[in-house]
Amino acid sequence: MAASRQPQVGELLAGARRAFREEFGAEPELAVSAPGRVNLIGEHTDYNQGLVLPMALELVTVLVGSPRADGLVSLLTTSEDADEPRRLQFPLPTAQRSLEPGTPRWANYVKGVIQHYPAAPLPGFSAVVVSSVPLGGGLSSSAALEVATYTFLQQLCPDSGAVAARAQVCQRAEHSFAGVPCGIMDQLIALLAQKDCALLIDCRSLETSLVPLSDPKLAVLITNSNVRHTLGSSEYPLRRRQCEEVARALGKESLREVQLEELEAGRELVSKEGFRRARHVVGEIQRTAQAAAALSQGDYRAFGRLMVESHHSLRDDYEVSCPELDQLVEAALSAPGVYGSRMTGGGFGGCTVTLLEASTASQAMQHIQAADGAKVLHL
């Protein structure tokens, strides 16, 4: 099985410029990009003010465009997986008339960032979106589009906010326009990513620290289950509510403040399901801190063990895995040279992430036999 080749940023940019010329009859004046991400460990902890450890991908969203003087926004996406229509036009928001989410769904991420953008006055603009980040794959195509949009708006009308404030605008856009009560991880990694590093993010303080990930003997394998998730569905918001209910029952602001011993002691105060959800989150925060330390020390076996523990917890306690993801993880763990593997992203489909020896990557890919191929990222 061959690895699927992904277009580089230069190729995406060329495609975006070509699409812009065909659609608008001129060269675009501005171009920006933002990366997708894979979360190595720390799943469903960000909205519980916990720790996460994502890394940026070579998969990116490119946005090219030009300002226009008529107060309109004209958008085109070239993504075949985006819902129709793939072209739309709407007026900029005013004090009297806000933008509203609607169809197509892909444009809601752009609309949300425009609506919440803090600087003024914004001019109208024409733009084309091209992306190699798979939609619904758990690699944060939404945050890549939000951050690319924000970065584009900065070129039109500069803002003065700190990076954390920019991430929060993009997060608010996803909450209010996509209906997904996400944490802050995806937006922060899209803004702060650096080459050959993972980023340990404290989602309570918003402090970040780089964790080197440049060992040439190490590889990260991302395998797509081809099951597309829709995080705006009822399950994701339900998990968040359950976590908040447990924290309240224990007298805490969030599950970040809860230790496993406290959770066990308060078991009778919460539902059985709520207890399992909280046990995952509290344990996952602990695992993420341990994993960051292990990675810093080059202890890949310890990191791999923590990845497997994370997957089992997501499968059994948080119940966000699916048979396709479980099968991919099991296949990876039986392949030579694999340190660990787990589902990544919100769940209910999407991708798995596997840490392995670079020299065994091709053999591991053949072993996994992923239906849609696998992508190896050499670090």
Side-chain angles (χ1 to χ4, degrees):
M1 179 192 64
S4 56
R5 182 188 175 279
Q6 299 295 330
Q8 300 299 303
V9 177
E11 296 173 73
L12 292 171
L13 178 58
R17 293 178 64 183
R18 186 166 55 250
F20 190 91
R21 286 195 302 269
E22 292 172 359
E23 184 73 10
F24 300 108
E27 284 286 343
E29 298 176 26
L30 303 167
V32 300
S33 70
R37 64 96 187 96
V38 64
N39 192 22
L40 297 174
I41 195 166
E43 217 65 76
H44 289 277
T45 54
D46 56 347
Y47 54 81
N48 287 292
Q49 298 188 12
L51 303 175
V52 292
L53 188 64
M55 59 175 275
L57 300 175
E58 295 169 358
L59 305 170
V60 299
T61 293
V62 169
L63 193 154
V64 303
S66 299
R68 50 193 291 167
D70 58 5
L72 295 177
V73 175
S74 188
L75 298 176
L76 166 70
T77 179
T78 64
S79 173
E80 294 181 1
D81 293 326
D83 58 319
E84 297 280 1
R86 296 185 185 137
R87 292 175 174 81
L88 76 158
Q89 190 173 82
F90 53 88
L92 286 168
T94 65
Q96 295 75 34
R97 184 191 64 246
S98 298
L99 292 179
E100 298 291 341
T103 55
R105 292 184 301 277
W106 66 268
N108 287 333
Y109 302 99
V110 179
K111 287 181 180 177
V113 176
I114 293 171
Q115 180 62 48
H116 297 300
Y117 189 70
L122 265 181
F125 62 89
S126 300
V128 169
V129 178
V130 175
S131 185
S132 59
V133 189
L135 302 185
L139 303 179
S140 198
S141 57
S142 56
L145 179 53
E146 291 155 7
V147 170
T149 300
Y150 195 106
T151 307
F152 182 79
L153 298 183
Q154 285 181 296
Q155 314 313 303
L156 297 174
C157 180
D159 74 320
S160 57
V163 170
R166 296 170 188 171
Q168 287 166 332
V169 167
C170 295
Q171 179 192 32
R172 197 177 314 133
E174 190 145 346
H175 287 189
S176 57
F177 276 70
V180 179
C182 63
I184 197 75
M185 168 180 66
D186 297 346
Q187 292 79 13
L188 276 176
I189 184 65
L191 284 161
L192 289 172
Q194 289 192 25
K195 186 176 174 60
D196 295 332
C197 288
L199 187 70
L200 181 64
I201 302 173
D202 184 326
C203 297
R204 179 170 59 187
S205 66
L206 300 187
E207 293 175 355
T208 61
S209 56
L210 293 168
V211 181
L213 195 57
S214 55
D215 187 339
K217 299 189 295 295
L218 196 65
V220 173
L221 177 69
I222 298 167
T223 312
N224 195 339
S225 71
N226 283 328
V227 178
R228 282 186 65 179
H229 66 196
T230 306
L231 290 184
S233 65
S234 60
E235 291 298 326
Y236 187 98
L238 174 61
R239 296 299 186 283
R240 181 164 185 160
R241 286 198 303 273
Q242 289 171 327
C243 292
E244 291 167 349
E245 287 166 2
V246 173
R248 278 197 301 271
L250 297 177
K252 306 290 187 179
E253 183 182 342
S254 72
L255 290 179
R256 174 66 181 277
E257 301 174 9
V258 178
Q259 301 299 313
L260 282 172
E261 298 78 14
E262 293 176 286
L263 181 61
E264 288 284 358
R267 192 169 192 151
E268 300 304 316
L269 300 175
V270 301
S271 68
K272 289 181 179 179
E273 194 172 68
F275 174 82
R276 292 200 309 274
R277 304 294 188 251
R279 182 167 60 187
H280 162 72
V281 171
V282 174
E284 186 80 346
I285 293 170
Q286 203 170 67
R287 282 188 289 272
T288 304
Q290 294 168 351
L295 197 59
S296 296
Q297 295 159 12
D299 190 346
Y300 305 139
R301 295 194 184 282
F303 192 96
R305 285 194 298 272
L306 292 162
M307 291 178 78
V308 175
E309 288 177 18
S310 171
H311 183 77
H312 290 165
S313 180
L314 288 158
R315 181 192 65 196
D316 300 335
D317 277 353
Y318 222 64
E319 296 182 281
V320 292
S321 189
C322 65
E324 294 86 351
L325 290 172
D326 295 338
Q327 290 162 13
L328 288 174
V329 168
E330 289 170 16
L333 293 176
S334 63
V338 168
Y339 295 112
S341 185
R342 59 184 286 277
M343 61 154 278
T344 187
F348 311 109
C351 294
T352 63
V353 58
T354 301
L355 193 74
L356 71 166
E357 296 172 8
S359 61
T360 66
S362 296
Q363 193 176 350
M365 288 166 61
Q366 291 170 0
H367 186 84
I368 293 169
Q369 291 292 308
D372 189 41
K375 182 174 188 293
V376 178
L377 303 176
H378 290 284
L379 305 173

